[in-house]
């Protein structure tokens, strides 16, 4: 009889985790998009810098390329939440780490309260 109860609880936890992931996945989509934007800007900067270094641009284009490189260097094109959390691909991992830490602390308090 206890095996059936354990299986019901296990299936409930698996279903709960599945629903939680399904709900959280759209919330973390901006993290993936922000990381893609950051990588694309970095790739374009490298391309422009290599064209400048190889001297493949005319004089007017060189001035605009230098201005664009200076602008992208001074302005951070990443996204942040209230300037506290960077919205990039590492945010979901930080979030999961925070949840695991919180659960471990709760488990430790549970052992103290119910010895």
């Amino acid at each position: 009889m206890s095996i059936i109860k354990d299986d019901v609880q296990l299936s409930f936890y698996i279903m709960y985790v599945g629903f939680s992931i399904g709900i959280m996945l759209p919330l973390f989509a901006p993290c993936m998009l922000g990381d893609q934007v950051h990588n694309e800007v970095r790739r374009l900067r490298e391309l422009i810098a290599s064209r400048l270094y190889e001297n493949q641009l005319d004089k007017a284009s060189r001035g605009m390329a230098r201005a664009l490189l200076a602008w992208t260097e001074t302005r951070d094109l990443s996204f942040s939440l209230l300037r506290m959390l960077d919205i990039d691909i590492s945010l979901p991992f930080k979030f999961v780490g925070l949840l695991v830490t919180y659960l471990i602390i709760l488990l430790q308090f549970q052992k103290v309260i119910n010895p």
Side-chain angles (χ1 to χ4, degrees):
M1 195 67 153
S2 65
I3 295 173
I4 295 173
K5 282 185 176 180
D6 291 339
D7 288 342
V8 170
Q9 288 177 353
L10 182 63
S11 66
F12 174 75
Y13 290 131
I14 291 172
M15 185 176 65
Y16 183 73
V17 167
F19 283 138
S20 298
I21 290 173
I23 290 170
M24 293 301 224
L25 193 61
L27 295 175
F28 290 129
C31 299
M32 295 183 301
L33 295 175
D35 198 51
Q36 287 177 351
V37 166
H38 184 69
N39 288 337
E40 187 68 21
V41 167
R42 184 176 41 87
R43 189 184 68 78
L44 289 174
R45 282 183 50 105
E46 290 172 358
L47 179 67
I48 291 172
S50 69
R51 295 279 169 94
L52 278 173
Y53 179 73
E54 294 170 357
N55 205 7
Q56 294 180 351
L57 301 173
D58 59 345
K59 189 172 185 173
S61 297
R62 277 183 280 177
M64 287 192 325
R66 284 188 187 117
L68 181 62
L69 283 175
W71 185 78
T72 56
E73 187 175 335
T74 58
R75 296 224 180 219
D76 188 20
L77 296 178
S78 63
F79 303 102
S80 65
L81 185 65
L82 299 174
R83 296 186 186 207
M84 291 175 22
L85 292 172
D86 289 330
I87 299 178
D88 57 357
I89 201 67
S90 67
L91 182 63
F93 299 113
K94 291 176 185 176
F95 183 72
V96 169
L98 178 70
L99 287 177
V100 169
T101 304
Y102 185 68
L103 287 175
I104 290 171
I105 291 170
L106 285 178
L107 288 173
Q108 290 174 348
F109 277 125
Q110 185 178 6
K111 285 185 179 182
V112 170
I113 293 171
N114 299 326

